[in-house]
Amino acid sequence: MALSKKPVTGMKDILPQEMQVRDYVTGVIKETYAKFGFTPIETPCVENIANLSNKQGGENEKLIFKILKRGEKLNLETAQSEADLVDGGLRYDLTVPLVRFYSNNANSLPTPFKALQIGNVWRADRPQRGRYRQFMQCDIDILGEPSNLAEIELILATTTTLSKLGFRNFQIRINDRQILKAMASYAGFAEADYDQVFIILDKMDKIGADGVKRELMELGYSEETCDRYMVLFTQIEEADNGPAFIAQKLSDTLPQGVMTSFMEIIDSVKATKEDTFEIVFDPTLVRGMSYYTGTIFEIAMPEFGGSCGGGGRYDKMVGKFTGNDVPACGFSIGFERIILLLMERGFEVPGAPKKVAYLIEKGVEGERLSQIIAQAQEARQDGTQVLVVRMNKNKKFQKENLTKEGYTEFVDFYKESLKS
Amino acid sequence: MALSKKPVTGMKDILPQEMQVRDYVTGVIKETYAKFGFTPIETPCVENIANLSNKQGGENEKLIFKILKRGEKLNLETAQSEADLVDGGLRYDLTVPLVRFYSNNANSLPTPFKALQIGNVWRADRPQRGRYRQFMQCDIDILGEPSNLAEIELILATTTTLSKLGFRNFQIRINDRQILKAMASYAGFAEADYDQVFIILDKMDKIGADGVKRELMELGYSEETCDRYMVLFTQIEEADNGPAFIAQKLSDTLPQGVMTSFMEIIDSVKATKEDTFEIVFDPTLVRGMSYYTGTIFEIAMPEFGGSCGGGGRYDKMVGKFTGNDVPACGFSIGFERIILLLMERGFEVPGAPKKVAYLIEKGVEGERLSQIIAQAQEARQDGTQVLVVRMNKNKKFQKENLTKEGYTEFVDFYKESLKS
């Protein structure tokens, strides 16, 4: 009858100390995004297995926790493969469910629709330190807004939220898949090779410009093409205004309006004069998800090597469900990384109430107990947190432990006979 | 490529209007329970299948969404039964995970430990109106408190929360499994028959005293025993003080201290003089879960036929995991029913911010756009909610729709040329 005390492999129990930080962060997120007109929605954690296996999820589709059919639908004897056994799966992100949600409920939703989702997702990844198989994602998305207002609002809502949480000196890096393509085209790469080229470009952070050039040449691209490509990045870096340089240099290749709109996003974000972050054009930003069609962006935090969230425009995804494309753009913040950063720096939740503990000696009962209960209830009216507990024999040790939990005031209640 | 737009069978999408109510209720719950010293915890939605199939869950164990093994662990060819295919399942309640959590983390937790859990659970029930296969549960539990302070604090925390949510004229019905047993024993039922007797007693609400007597006699119990039993209920109803009557009448059968402690709970709750609810002794209250060992209670709401939450003491459950019993008591409020009641009465979330919409004509761009964005960002500083959207051709219709969403102020931005 002894059962397993541990959580399932790769998932974790969350203790009160961390939960209080998570609840606080969730509260700030909801409050701040609401000010930008984002409204919360929720979808079931379980999705039809067909929706999760539609090739939009890339590698994540290999990591699905699949759910066994139930009752008569499950026939073990005739089952030939896994697919015959399952009908659902736990979602591996919030984007596929959002698009399904939008397709299902579009008639009841405003245009543009600004959605906020905070929810768990599951991936059967190899367990490793700090990465879990169940984790929280936090996404905002705007559906039905073709103009760059979507990008501007998404970026500002996100940076405002991060600033409220106390983050400083972070960067929003921004690029556009159309800029990526135009640069590759200018250099002389064939369109069919773009994805392969971008995978290598994505390593710029780690292997540097020389490394990128070497790996491209190893794949058989000509030195001339590679040089033309790498020189562009140097020129952007040296230009006073990178986007303006690109707009002029690649004016033949880039679709009309792309750079004007792109620069408008950067200028509008800068116009708010927020001093907690900067927005920078990063021509090496690729972002893996194949569904992005336009602008892409990422949060870089000095305290945290690597990205702490990101997103972009994906105008072709709703069409996969409905047959009609709907302009869409989203930004996901790395909820778990933010919690990790806050916990590591010993973050204390602001505005915590006064914490008082009533210690009641054993033997205090009847009417006297009722009075104490009523007194505690009254003290709570003004916002005080009151813990009512029995007094231990070792009262000093008990108070020490309560102090560790944040209790700063103690009231002792003894048996009447002792008091008088 | 067309995919399913509907959520999986029996689960639902939650739209912004309902989500805003849910978020508000969740906030009130967290804030109020915190004042009683309850601290939030979270466990994974997935539990080891063995933990979910330990017979503590009763009928719910037949309704588990089971999760397929992954990788090499899944061997379809050698699998003889369902059990060979699965290693996890979605939790069907929050009690089993809580007890596992406590067993796993007891060394890091205070004594007594007061836990608040708000989370989804899953049951593959037959879908029916208003009942879903994924739903939110909200439980508070106190582990390690043997005295009736646990019951008192659980009841007051719950009634305070319900009152804050605007509920009035509700009842806390309270009983004790030891009273149930003593009454059955007094009437002459054999201990082995108690469970059967209680299942029929539980129908008192629906079939009345005569119905209960008839069904008991149909099962072969003597009329003398049945009469002795039914008379007890009448006597309690007619007594000035039901618990005091039982204390005296069954003083031989009831373990010492049970009734003193039971009356202390009722008196202490009454001593707070809250006028939103009453606490009443209900000797017919049974509650199904076999794991209850002492006090049991339930919320009855006039607006809602049936229970709107409940709980009780379950002192023997932690021992199932650890081998050592720990006193435990919990109270679960019917989160989904509360949401349903609030939605039905057209509940409006209090304290909603002023909602302003900026409508920007197509063609407003560049520096002008940047200015508007900066203006919106500034307006948000004082708590105003500002939606920035492109102006539609039919501006009147657009504003009508925004008014329905709660926007009360509109600012129109035209192209410079039109303005001057």
Side-chain angles (χ1 to χ4, degrees), chain A residues 13 36 100 264 366 377 380, chain B residues 13 36 100 160 264 366 380:
Chain A
D13 288 333
F36 288 80
R100 185 198 53 67
E264 221 167 60
Q377 189 70 353
R380 287 169 184 138
Chain B
D13 288 333
F36 288 81
R100 185 198 52 69
T160 305
E264 223 167 58
R380 288 171 185 137

Side-chain angles (χ1 to χ4, degrees), chain B residues 68-86:
Chain B
L68 204 66
K69 290 179 180 175
R70 295 150 307 283
E72 288 168 8
K73 287 182 186 159
L74 179 68
N75 192 328
L76 195 50
E77 277 171 31
T78 62
Q80 301 287 317
S81 71
E82 241 183 68
D84 298 324
L85 295 172
V86 300

Side-chain angles (χ1 to χ4, degrees), chain B residues 67 162 187 215 346 415:
Chain B
I67 290 176
L162 291 174
E215 290 203 12
K415 276 187 279 191

Side-chain angles (χ1 to χ4, degrees), chain A residues 174-176 179 243 258-266 281:
Chain A
I174 185 167
N175 197 8
D176 192 303
I179 298 176
V258 167
M259 288 315 292
T260 311
S261 170
F262 186 75
M263 287 188 280
E264 221 167 60
I265 297 170
I266 296 178
F281 170 42

Side-chain angles (χ1 to χ4, degrees), chain B residues 116-321:
Chain B
L116 163 63
Q117 296 181 89
I118 303 178
N120 281 313
V121 303
W122 291 263
R123 294 181 194 166
D125 243 324
R126 187 172 300 209
Q128 48 182 300
R129 196 185 154 275
R131 284 189 69 173
Y132 293 94
R133 289 177 161 191
Q134 170 176 318
F135 57 98
M136 193 77 99
Q137 281 201 337
C138 174
D139 285 14
I140 45 173
D141 293 89
I142 304 181
L143 292 116
E145 174 59 71
S147 89
N148 56 14
L149 272 187
E151 281 87 345
I152 295 168
E153 291 280 278
L154 287 168
I155 291 170
L156 284 178
T158 304
T159 56
T160 305
T161 301
L162 291 174
S163 305
K164 283 238 173 87
L165 291 172
F167 291 100
R168 296 291 177 269
N169 307 317
F170 58 94
Q171 273 190 343
I172 301 294
R173 294 191 192 164
I174 185 166
N175 197 7
D176 192 302
R177 290 195 75 96
Q178 296 179 90
I179 298 176
L180 273 174
K181 286 180 187 173
M183 286 175 67
S185 163
Y186 171 88
F189 293 105
E191 194 165 347
D193 295 330
Y194 287 174
D195 281 344
Q196 198 181 38
V197 172
F198 297 159
I199 288 172
I200 292 170
L201 177 64
D202 202 18
K203 302 186 193 172
M204 184 77 95
D205 269 1
K206 286 173 196 142
I207 60 175
D210 291 346
V212 169
K213 183 183 164 189
R214 190 176 53 245
E215 290 203 12
L216 286 172
M217 287 180 62
E218 279 167 16
L219 285 174
Y221 298 110
S222 76
E223 178 150 26
E224 193 199 337
T225 294
C226 293
D227 277 338
R228 250 172 97 87
Y229 197 40
M230 301 319 295
V231 163
L232 265 186
F233 292 101
T234 313
Q235 288 175 319
I236 292 170
E237 213 178 323
E238 289 170 355
D240 283 340
N241 183 332
F245 167 79
I246 285 290
Q248 202 208 344
K249 184 89 172 181
L250 306 185
S251 57
D252 294 344
T253 345
L254 273 162
Q256 218 197 339
V258 167
M259 289 314 293
T260 312
S261 169
F262 186 75
M263 288 188 279
E264 223 167 58
I265 297 170
I266 296 178
D267 292 342
S268 292
V269 171
K270 283 183 174 167
T272 62
K273 297 202 172 68
E274 308 279 356
D275 59 0
T276 49
F277 72 97
E278 54 173 1
I279 180 166
V280 290
F281 170 41
D282 178 357
T284 72
L285 182 68
V286 172
R287 290 196 65 77
M289 303 308 278
S290 59
Y291 55 66
Y292 289 123
T293 56
T295 331
I296 46 180
F297 28 77
E298 211 166 80
I299 308 164
M301 291 245 182
E303 294 105 305
F304 195 86
S307 156
C308 201
R313 186 168 275 281
Y314 55 101
D315 286 345
K316 300 286 173 191
M317 205 180 185
V318 177
K320 295 274 197 300
F321 280 76

Side-chain angles (χ1 to χ4, degrees), chain A residues 217-233:
Chain A
M217 287 179 63
E218 280 167 15
L219 285 174
Y221 298 110
S222 76
E223 180 150 23
E224 191 199 340
T225 295
C226 294
D227 277 339
R228 249 171 98 86
Y229 197 40
M230 301 320 295
V231 162
L232 265 187
F233 291 99

